[in-house]
Amino acid sequence: MATAITMPKLGMTMTEGTVDEWFKAEGDTITKDEAVCIISSEKLTHEVTAPAAGTLVKIVAPVGTTVECQQPIAYVGQKGEKIEDNQSAVKEQPAPAQPQNDFQEPPEIAPEPTSAPHRLFATPLAKKLAQKYHYDLQLIPGTGGNGRITRRDVERYRPTLSPQTPAPATKSANGQPLTGMRPAIAQHMRTSLSTTAQVTLHQKANLTALLTFKKELTQKTKRTLTAAPTKLMTLLARAVILALKDTPTMNSWYQDQKVWPQSQINLGIAVNLPEGLVVPVVESVQNMTLTELGTMINERIEQAQNGTLASRHYSGSTFTITNLGKVGVDYFTPIINSPEVGILGVGSIQTELTLTEEQQVQKISCLPLSLTFDHQVIDGYPAAEFLQKIVQYLEDPYSLIL
């Protein structure tokens, strides 16, 4: 029986995607996990891989076609196998993606899509080739969905001595519309703020013992300071995981005025890309060792930055960590990644002077933490206890490996 290659869901705000380019044709032999096409949404461009080995027996979504998430775009099976036409679920005209949450329970009603004209679409491969050959992407006609420029468009392009300069986009007197990922991000943020009662708490964690522990762990395991298990993000993530185990309500989804407790902890790590913010997810972290946790966090972040992260790892998080410490921010007010009920903001490590019990001046390192929680689900006191648990685990670093 043929296996469907489906339109992936690249995060909670995606409901449909457009096929930009097919790498394979009907009748071609493909292997499992081989890239067969490129799809795009308002949020990301992504390569779709084959779920099984065999023959590409039917393409039901040609280039430029928009398909709802989780619906077939092609089938892989045995050579000569027939696929009925009524198995496809393809739209005739491309349309902007509408925000929607990817949960096990019924999704929220999605608001009307936001149009964003005058956008320059290009696949990651097309951008790399254009940069390599010093081509101006604005001069290359795009044949992909929504006029997206594909790798083949760049390969076929031949610059002339006097290329025709495209007319500049007409600017509105009231400003420019949001483009790229921004409409989807903006809608998701508005939805989060309009459906939750968000409150933010701030607290510092004394990292002096943790940083000493980190050095000892590095020396005894003969790992570098940047190795995955000894990275500060890995140790912080472990503290959050342990605190979530102690406070199950914080590891829940809130939707349709109901709380949906989650049996496993799926940790989201906010990552900033040139196109906007994405949240790759590390699933089932509750039983991982420090090495497994650090390795998976590193892999998810790198793959998200390279555009190679599988679509299933963009959704399903139960709690998110976002870090602005690298740009010098101390405290801030992170917005909840709905339908989660909490998000932890991480600031920049600070050096402070304090008095010991013996009245001696001591230099310590502190980490500012900002917890935003949904007051509909959890009250301020238990939320403060949750944040305090994170601080306690960080200040008692040996508890992270017990």
Side-chain angles (χ1 to χ4, degrees), residues 27 38 63 105 162 174 179 210 257 259 366 375 390:
I38 288 181
V63 170
E105 303 302 328
S162 301
N174 297 323
T179 60
L210 182 70
Q257 298 183 335
V259 180
C366 292
H375 213 314
I390 296 175

Side-chain angles (χ1 to χ4, degrees), residues 234-350:
T234 304
L235 299 173
L236 173 63
R238 169 56 64 82
V240 170
I241 293 165
L242 293 175
L244 287 170
K245 286 184 175 181
D246 295 337
T247 316
T249 304
M250 194 63 73
N251 192 58
S252 303
W253 285 337
Y254 181 69
Q255 190 180 22
D256 298 331
Q257 298 183 335
K258 293 181 181 179
V259 180
W260 306 95
Q262 301 301 303
S263 58
Q264 63 185 36
I265 300 174
N266 298 336
L267 195 63
I269 306 293
V271 176
N272 182 59
L273 303 180
E275 300 85 1
L277 188 70
V278 296
V279 184
V281 182
V282 184
E283 297 85 1
S284 301
V285 296
Q286 65 274 8
N287 297 319
M288 287 186 178
T289 65
L290 275 179
T291 299
E292 292 170 338
L293 179 63
T295 300
M296 292 306 300
I297 289 175
N298 284 359
E299 287 183 2
R300 294 286 194 270
I301 292 175
E302 290 176 2
Q303 290 171 351
Q305 292 171 334
N306 297 332
T308 59
L309 183 64
S311 57
R312 65 183 181 276
H313 298 311
Y314 279 108
S315 60
S317 56
T318 60
F319 190 87
T320 296
I321 299 175
T322 178
N323 185 0
L324 293 182
K326 292 184 178 180
V327 290
V329 173
D330 294 335
Y331 294 106
F332 57 105
T333 306
I335 297 177
I336 293 174
N337 185 20
S338 296
E340 300 167 22
V341 299
I343 182 171
L344 183 70
V346 183
S348 178
I349 296 179
Q350 304 170 352

Side-chain angles (χ1 to χ4, degrees), residues 3-8 19-39 46-63 72-77 125 151-152:
T3 301
I5 302 174
T6 59
M7 176 63 67
V19 178
D20 285 339
E21 181 177 3
W22 281 101
F23 302 143
K24 298 289 184 176
E26 290 184 0
D28 287 353
T29 299
I30 55 179
T31 59
K32 184 178 180 181
D33 295 327
E34 181 180 5
V36 294
C37 70
I38 288 181
I39 63 93
H46 190 74
E47 287 188 353
V48 178
T49 57
T55 299
L56 189 62
V57 294
K58 186 175 182 62
I59 293 175
V60 297
V63 170
I73 57 176
Y75 289 89
V76 57
L125 288 176
R151 170 179 57 85
R152 293 178 182 176

Side-chain angles (χ1 to χ4, degrees), residues 376-388:
Q376 298 175 112
V377 179
I378 188 168
D379 291 328
Y381 194 87
E385 287 184 321
F386 170 75
L387 180 57
Q388 189 178 46

